[in-house]
Amino acid sequence: MKRVLIALIALSCFTARAGDLPPASPAAPLTGPNAPASAASIEEFLALTDAQKMVKNIMAQMDRYFAAVMPKSINGHPITPEQKAEMIRITTKITGIFQEELTWEKLEPMYVEIYQRSFTQQELDGAIAFYKTPSGQAIVRKLPVVVQNTMVAMQSRVGPLMEKVNKMMADKTRELQKADSGKPTG
């Protein structure tokens, strides 16, 4: 699930960073440098940055995640063929729900609305100009690999940190249990 969340965060950061920007003023002029970005320019930007492909990749990661996590949820206990079939059925149902609800056709209008609230036409024109350059397209091609490598590097750092946190929590739990066992009951 961590990978799916990281991928979703990366998608958000890569395509917009809209959450970092204040909402567009309702009184923003419809023309000029402060005009909201047009739907057509947003769609062009999304196409240039392969946003649709990124959504598909995230969905594929989610499918793999659910397929991998279900067998682990039994903690090594043997399961019957019927239980295995039920796990497959549930996993298929869960991924089907995500695939049905998170299609590009359903997400694109949300992106357009968020971008219109977040970017002026002038800002998006500049971004489009950049992403049309060889450097911009290199970023589009290479950023998924950068994100993947970052996720792997972060996992190698987070693992040992989680071990320390778990040890601290276990020590504190034992300390609290010891303190509680020494209290008189009323």
Side-chain angles (χ1 to χ4, degrees):
M1 187 63 169
K2 284 188 271 187
R3 285 185 179 190
V4 171
L5 291 174
I6 291 171
L8 286 170
I9 291 167
L11 174 64
S12 297
C13 292
F14 176 65
T15 60
R17 292 200 60 190
D20 292 347
L21 300 170
S25 166
L30 298 177
T31 60
N34 292 324
S38 70
S41 63
I42 293 167
E43 289 166 3
E44 180 180 7
F45 176 79
L46 293 172
L48 283 168
T49 58
D50 279 342
Q52 183 175 2
K53 181 180 175 184
M54 289 186 72
V55 168
K56 285 182 181 180
N57 289 342
I58 289 168
M59 292 308 300
Q61 281 186 324
M62 290 175 69
D63 290 349
R64 288 190 300 273
Y65 168 77
F66 285 122
V69 79
M70 285 304 249
K72 290 179 182 176
S73 68
I74 60 169
N75 294 323
H77 298 287
I79 61 170
T80 66
E82 293 82 18
Q83 290 170 324
K84 183 176 182 175
E86 181 65 13
M87 288 177 70
I88 291 169
R89 188 186 69 73
I90 291 170
T91 302
T92 302
K93 190 173 184 176
I94 290 169
T95 56
I97 290 169
F98 277 94
Q99 288 173 351
E100 183 179 312
E101 293 302 317
L102 299 178
T103 64
W104 182 247
E105 292 73 24
K106 290 182 180 181
L107 293 176
E108 186 179 25
M110 176 192 71
Y111 276 101
V112 170
E113 181 183 330
I114 291 169
Y115 278 59
Q116 283 181 322
R117 288 193 322 250
S118 305
F119 293 101
T120 65
Q121 186 62 52
Q122 184 176 7
E123 292 167 337
L124 206 57
D125 288 345
I128 289 169
F130 170 73
Y131 280 106
K132 285 182 175 180
T133 68
S135 294
Q137 285 301 295
I139 288 175
V140 170
R141 281 189 319 276
K142 295 177 181 182
L143 195 57
V145 174
V146 169
V147 170
Q148 181 65 32
N149 290 337
T150 301
M151 288 175 17
V152 169
M154 288 300 290
Q155 286 175 344
S156 70
R157 290 180 177 228
V158 169
L161 292 175
M162 288 308 296
E163 288 176 22
K164 288 180 182 179
V165 168
N166 289 337
K167 183 182 179 323
M168 284 175 40
M169 296 296 286
D171 291 348
K172 187 51 120 176
T173 299
R174 280 192 296 278
E175 182 183 313
L176 292 172
Q177 288 172 341
K178 186 176 179 182
D180 280 347
S181 67
K183 290 183 181 176
T185 56

